[in-house]
Amino acid sequence: MKTKIVFLLAFCLYPILNWGQANFTKYESMKEVSAMVITQNMFKLLSEIDLDTQDQETQAYIDLIENLKDIKVLTTNNVEIGTDMNTDFNTYVESSQVEELMRFKEKSMQVKFYSKPGSKEGFVSELLMLMTGQEEGEPITVVMSIQGDIDLKQVSKLANDLKVPGAKQLKNIK
Amino acid sequence: MKSIFQIFFLLILGVQFSGCNQEPTLQKYFVNHQNDENYVMVDLPAGMFLSFNDELANADQEAIESIKKVSVLAYPLNGSNTANYESEVAVLNKILSREKYKLLMKIGNTTKGMRIAYLGEEKAIDEVVFFGNDSDKGFIVARVLGEKMNVGELMKLVGNLENGDIKLNFKQFESTLKKLDEIES
């Protein structure tokens, strides 16, 4: 009986605990939003593949990928949706334990990075980015979230490979 | 008290099972549209394009044999079938959003995008599904069906393929390839 109650409780609480993550999912199915999602399933499969190399740098990169959980990048040129995304982002930042990592302005873009403390120094468990501004005369809003055991030194390389804006600046975080 | 629990439990179970049966599956979708002239369907049994040396290691042999067939269903837009395009994409998206399809990645939006998912377990994949859609061109669903496919083993195989240990036999399905080329262009 006791175990049943525990199961029931876990079942009921599950969506609530997941809430922090889920508040961006509604944007994924919007016509005006372009999404890129790579899930934990993918990283689990990747870690199945034997990718060991002699090259230390490549190995560090592989290690980063194998410890990732989830990558999500949402881009929109729609002003209204962009504002909504902005609000949701700020609510999330306020409600969870994230720290500002850095912020900068480049050309007509404003970029903010936030992170959640990770397993050890130089590592974060979540990396968030919000970018707003104009790109080629069009309004643009980009939200990025990366979860996992993230080595900050390696993540800029990954961001670069995924063509995420702000990748260059990420390199400067130590 | 206990019997009420049991009845309740059975009731839920019953509702869930009856719900499952009515849901459309990818398999049903393929079957329902294979004779539809708006669709192009291509079925490739693995034996048709995978022929290999006898000296192959057992593990590789097993990896190859874990792939059963590749099944492709495409809906190329030809100007007269655009009306159903969006609703069909919505149907497929709904099927693929079901929990049993473990999403690997998706890119794009509803007008142009793609997603890859799989069925089964991490080390024993039963099916890999690719779905791509473009509101200018149409959509395509490709299923790689197999039995306990292991990505690690298959990737090793690809490595061997590059080394020339295994040869793909493309001759037998050159005509099918041509057909696919025609769809794409």
Side-chain angles (χ1 to χ4, degrees):
Chain A
M1 194 65 205
K2 232 183 196 168
T3 40
K4 262 188 200 163
I5 292 172
V6 172
F7 263 115
L8 206 71
L9 259 177
F11 213 73
C12 295
L13 280 176
Y14 182 71
I16 301 170
L17 292 174
N18 256 349
W19 176 82
Q21 249 261 292
N23 59 0
F24 289 117
T25 38
K26 68 174 184 213
Y27 296 105
E28 285 169 29
S29 51
M30 286 183 184
K31 213 176 178 174
E32 297 85 353
V33 177
S34 182
M36 186 192 73
V37 181
I38 304 176
T39 65
Q40 190 166 12
N41 297 326
M42 181 66 130
F43 297 115
K44 266 196 208 151
L45 278 192
L46 284 178
S47 61
E48 282 287 305
I49 304 168
D50 228 353
L51 283 175
D52 291 325
T53 65
Q54 299 296 319
D55 186 31
Q56 256 187 356
E57 228 174 285
T58 321
Q59 190 56 48
Y61 191 54
I62 294 167
D63 287 345
L64 168 80
I65 289 174
E66 286 183 352
N67 289 314
L68 286 180
K69 260 192 188 156
D70 198 316
I71 297 184
K72 210 175 266 186
V73 183
L74 302 166
T75 312
T76 186
N77 296 111
N78 182 299
V79 181
E80 253 169 72
I81 296 173
T83 319
D84 281 353
M85 264 162 54
N86 213 321
T87 318
D88 279 351
F89 186 90
N90 288 330
T91 320
Y92 180 62
V93 162
E94 276 161 33
S95 67
S96 52
Q97 296 169 301
V98 292
E99 298 159 0
E100 187 169 45
L101 200 61
M102 63 170 180
R103 69 162 93 194
F104 59 87
K105 226 176 160 178
E106 196 183 68
K107 288 173 197 163
S108 51
M109 303 271 209
Q110 198 164 9
V111 186
K112 288 181 206 168
F113 276 98
Y114 292 87
S115 69
K116 235 183 221 179
S119 57
K120 48 186 176 260
E121 203 167 338
F123 281 69
V124 295
S125 63
E126 184 171 10
L127 186 68
L128 286 159
M129 186 204 69
L130 173 72
M131 193 183 88
T132 47
Q134 304 269 326
E135 193 185 54
E136 286 158 11
E138 260 197 289
I140 185 168
T141 308
V142 183
V143 169
M144 178 188 74
S145 144
I146 302 178
Q147 299 193 316
D149 194 23
I150 309 159
D151 184 349
L152 277 178
K153 278 194 222 108
Q154 297 296 326
V155 83
S156 73
K157 242 189 258 173
L158 178 74
N160 209 2
D161 285 348
L162 294 171
K163 298 194 173 60
V164 174
K168 247 189 288 160
Q169 283 77 9
L170 261 178
K171 225 182 237 172
N172 304 326
I173 321 175
K174 285 276 144 61
Chain B
M1 183 65 189
K2 207 179 169 193
S3 63
I4 292 175
F5 249 118
Q6 274 172 346
I7 290 170
F8 191 64
F9 190 71
L10 279 175
L11 213 79
I12 290 178
L13 220 71
V15 168
Q16 278 189 335
F17 273 117
S18 63
C20 276
N21 286 336
Q22 279 151 16
E23 273 182 72
T25 63
L26 206 53
Q27 181 60 33
K28 267 188 207 157
Y29 190 91
F30 268 57
V31 171
N32 286 344
H33 294 95
Q34 59 185 355
N35 294 324
D36 192 327
E37 58 176 17
N38 283 319
Y39 288 80
V40 182
M41 184 154 156
V42 182
D43 247 346
L44 303 168
M48 211 167 143
F49 54 96
L50 292 173
S51 66
F52 36 87
N53 305 345
D54 294 336
E55 302 116 59
L56 215 59
N58 266 344
D60 286 346
Q61 198 107 326
E62 267 172 37
I64 279 195
E65 281 168 7
S66 70
I67 306 175
K68 299 293 178 215
K69 71 169 180 173
V70 178
S71 194
V72 181
L73 186 72
Y75 185 92
L77 290 177
N78 55 22
S80 59
N81 59 3
T82 39
N84 286 332
Y85 169 78
E86 263 182 53
S87 57
E88 294 303 327
V89 168
V91 168
L92 284 164
N93 264 325
K94 204 178 163 201
I95 295 175
L96 293 175
S97 303
R98 283 164 56 194
E99 211 171 310
K100 66 171 186 171
Y101 288 100
K102 294 181 182 156
L103 182 72
L104 290 175
M105 64 185 293
K106 58 177 179 181
I107 293 177
N109 52 25
T110 44
T111 42
K112 190 178 183 176
M114 69 98 173
R115 67 158 79 202
I116 307 173
Y118 77 89
L119 282 176
E121 297 303 319
E122 209 175 301
K123 285 185 169 57
I125 296 171
D126 297 322
E127 180 176 341
V128 180
V129 185
F130 169 87
F131 175 51
N133 69 294
D134 184 329
S135 53
D136 294 329
K137 289 182 188 146
F139 63 78
I140 185 163
V141 191
R143 306 168 73 194
V144 179
L145 295 149
E147 210 171 283
K148 295 187 179 149
M149 293 184 282
N150 183 306
V151 178
E153 296 296 332
L154 285 169
M155 286 312 286
K156 259 186 224 157
L157 198 75
V158 173
N160 294 344
L161 206 70
E162 280 163 3
N163 296 339
D165 293 344
I166 305 165
K167 287 192 181 64
L168 281 177
N169 185 358
F170 280 115
K171 263 195 191 141
Q172 289 173 39
F173 77 131
E174 255 173 9
S175 60
T176 337
L177 269 183
K178 263 187 207 148
K179 209 168 159 190
L180 278 174
D181 267 346
E182 278 162 26
I183 299 166
E184 269 176 30
S185 56

